Amino acid sequence: MPAFDTFPLIPRDDLFGNPTRAAGKISPDGKWLSWLAPKDGVLNIWMAPVANPDDARAMTNAEDRPIRQYMWAPDSKSLLYIQDKGGDENFLLYGVDIASGKETTLTPFENTRVDIVGGSESIRDKILIGLNNRDPQFHDVHLLNLNTGELTLVIENDSYAGFMADDTLTVRMALRQNEAGGTDYFRVVDNKVEDQPFTSTEMEDSLTTNPAGYTNDGSILYWLDSRGRNTAALYAEVVASGERTLIAEDDKADIGGTIRDRETGEVQAYSVNYLKTEWTAIDADLGASLEWLGTQLDGEYGISSRTDDDRIWIVWNDPLTAPIATYIYDRDAASLTPFYVTRPELEGAPLQPMHPVEITARDGLILPCYLTLPVGANSDGSANPDTPSPMVLLVHGGPWARDDYGFVSTVQWLANRGYAVLQVNFRGSTGFGKDFLNAANKQWGLAMHDDLIDAVEWAIDQGLTAADKVAIMGGSYGGYAALAGLTFTPEVFACGVDIVGPSNLETLLATIPPYWAPMVKIFHERMGNPDSEEGLALLKAASPLYKADQISKPLLILQGANDPRVKQSESDQIVGAMKDAGVPVTYVLYPDEGHGFAKPNNNIAYTAIAENFLASVLGGRSEPIGDTVKASTAEILEGVEHVAGLADALAE
């Protein structure tokens, strides 16, 4: 291993504890700054006048679960946030009047999940929301008055997966899955959905084609569209005639985000993210601002909030080897004023650069990947280490998601502990065109897993790691990949860490949240249909549960008891199968968490257990577990003895 003992251990608290501040915004009227910050140890929303940022006050009083998502009301009179209970993902919407400080539950219903259907630049005191309180499978559209709390039913939904509205808060479109696994798009007139779709996609385009919103006058509908091509391009469609104009395309990656004119809703810039995000401006004035920011900031940057007049932006900056910082950008004055550093305790810490790399799979498919070397691994800052290191193959969730370039606490933690970290955008990852995405159809445990094995072999061939020093780790689909790695290819990995990963694809599909039912064909067409003999056989063959007796390497499983996507039973059943087969396992359950861990004390406990588990197998560094597990809600249901120091920490 590299000689990295001269580099300090970054405390787990610094990486996974509460940020000092996060999610900074400016009110639409430009009078107020807001952010998330701890209050009595729990993330809450804070606010201060732009003219006096030091005059800050907490606007919410969350005492248990951190607030992680919030926004300003369009009229700047209130702050809005969503919150669930214990990770159950039944998010309700809350509003806080900034003048009085009064908090109101705007969607006061049990077992309900709110969706935002649409907002408006011209109607400032109302938004459209979807609520599934009548039928858990379908979200009815309501008009919500943000200042009075009045809810008015707009459309009762009996079959549609989603809706789209224009700037007048008029519902213009409904979408629904079709029998082929694609999407049908229907016009909505006077809140009635037409019988026949005006356009449709096949299954192959269903995840790479989406309407991207109307201009504010409703005359243009933007599309991100892969029909008739590979990567999703940006089109503008004249609503009245259906005439379409190509605005932007890229050969390697889908068009991603857009920046819109606040007054007109017209696209001013668009992004492409292959290995890194690149913005291209259409509007000259906005382009000049983005170019100026590029001269002032190192690394990645972007806009997180804008005033109505678009003269003040809140801008984030990720240098990657320094903590993320946020600035107030005055476009007229061409000035950047520091707002905050998210984790100032990381300033001067030995953070590692991330190297984008391309790896060729066995069938010739190019896999966009990211490699982070452990601290002290090389002397020239390149992607070529001086000596091999133990490696963690860190697999993203989804699987219809992707890894990105940028600061990731988990990556920096592992690199600091002495591990090379390889993140692979395996086939099925999003953003790289429909051919890349569809190459994963019905390939769970097959070609998707082969991509991960090919990446490991590449790393060994490159001298990055040794064949007996590779761990596999991930959450959700990444947790599934860890289980698959230790069951299907047990000779490849030294150990595995599974976080909320499914073990049985048949039971996974049988227990999806009810509001996923309108989209279930995505799973059947891309994973296997349990209602057919062939599909059921495919799902069982790809399920690690049935090969639990093949596990021969150490395995750590972590699960949230309230996970609505991957139920606790997914972890319970493979732990049970391993016990029946006499295979050791360590199983950690969090009774107050869901699909991942929101509370800092639980994240810190998870990383304490995981790094000591990895150290005992791969030989990396670790902090003592200390009182982290006792300070969390973690319940060690199995295998205390398999994690170095865990039994002693619990006994203290």
Side-chain angles (χ1 to χ4, degrees), residues 354-379:
M354 180 180 282
H355 304 282
V357 295
E358 293 179 317
I359 297 174
T360 303
R362 64 189 66 180
D363 63 355
L365 189 65
I366 304 298
L367 309 175
C369 304
Y370 301 98
L371 172 66
T372 304
L373 294 178
V375 60
N378 61 359
S379 53

Side-chain angles (χ1 to χ4, degrees), residues 157-379:
N157 177 17
D158 59 1
S159 65
Y160 299 97
F163 298 87
M164 181 169 286
D166 62 19
D167 194 63
T168 66
L169 297 181
T170 300
V171 179
R172 299 279 295 273
M173 188 191 305
L175 58 97
R176 180 172 64 195
Q177 278 198 321
N178 54 40
E179 289 301 317
T183 306
D184 290 335
Y185 297 93
F186 301 82
R187 290 189 178 91
V188 179
V189 180
D190 296 330
N191 295 327
K192 302 295 182 184
V193 182
E194 292 186 346
D195 293 333
Q196 299 299 317
F198 70 89
T199 192
S200 299
T201 69
E202 300 295 328
M203 188 274 289
E204 66 175 6
D205 292 295
S206 61
L207 293 181
T208 45
T209 297
N210 290 288
Y214 296 91
T215 53
N216 290 358
D217 63 6
S219 65
I220 300 293
L221 172 63
Y222 290 110
W223 287 89
L224 297 173
D225 203 328
S226 65
R227 288 175 289 186
R229 52 182 298 122
N230 176 29
T231 56
L234 177 63
Y235 292 89
E237 178 181 310
V238 179
V239 173
S241 66
E243 179 184 356
R244 286 159 61 98
T245 301
L246 175 65
I247 296 176
E249 61 182 339
D250 186 84
D251 290 338
K252 284 190 170 184
D254 300 327
I255 302 300
T258 61
I259 299 174
R260 307 290 181 87
D261 186 282
R262 299 301 298 262
E263 291 186 5
T264 68
E266 294 177 358
V267 171
Q268 296 177 296
Y270 61 88
S271 67
V272 174
N273 182 4
Y274 180 62
L275 292 173
K276 294 183 180 181
T277 300
E278 298 178 358
W279 282 94
T280 299
I282 299 171
D283 177 83
D285 184 48
L286 185 133
S289 292
L290 292 177
E291 184 177 356
W292 184 84
L293 287 172
T295 67
Q296 305 297 307
L297 302 171
D298 293 327
E300 303 290 285
Y301 61 91
I303 306 167
S304 55
S305 184
R306 304 154 75 191
T307 54
D308 282 338
D309 63 10
D310 206 25
R311 306 322 299 165
I312 305 295
W313 294 354
I314 303 299
V315 176
W316 59 266
N317 175 219
D318 179 5
L320 204 136
T321 54
I324 294 172
T326 298
Y327 299 87
I328 303 166
Y329 171 38
D330 186 322
R331 296 178 69 192
D332 294 327
S335 65
L336 274 177
T337 302
F339 188 177
Y340 59 81
V341 175
T342 297
R343 295 184 180 274
E345 57 271 24
L346 293 178
E347 292 177 338
L351 302 178
Q352 292 298 101
M354 180 180 282
H355 304 282
V357 295
E358 293 179 317
I359 297 174
T360 303
R362 64 189 66 180
D363 63 355
L365 189 65
I366 304 298
L367 309 175
C369 304
Y370 301 98
L371 172 66
T372 304
L373 294 178
V375 60
N378 61 359
S379 53

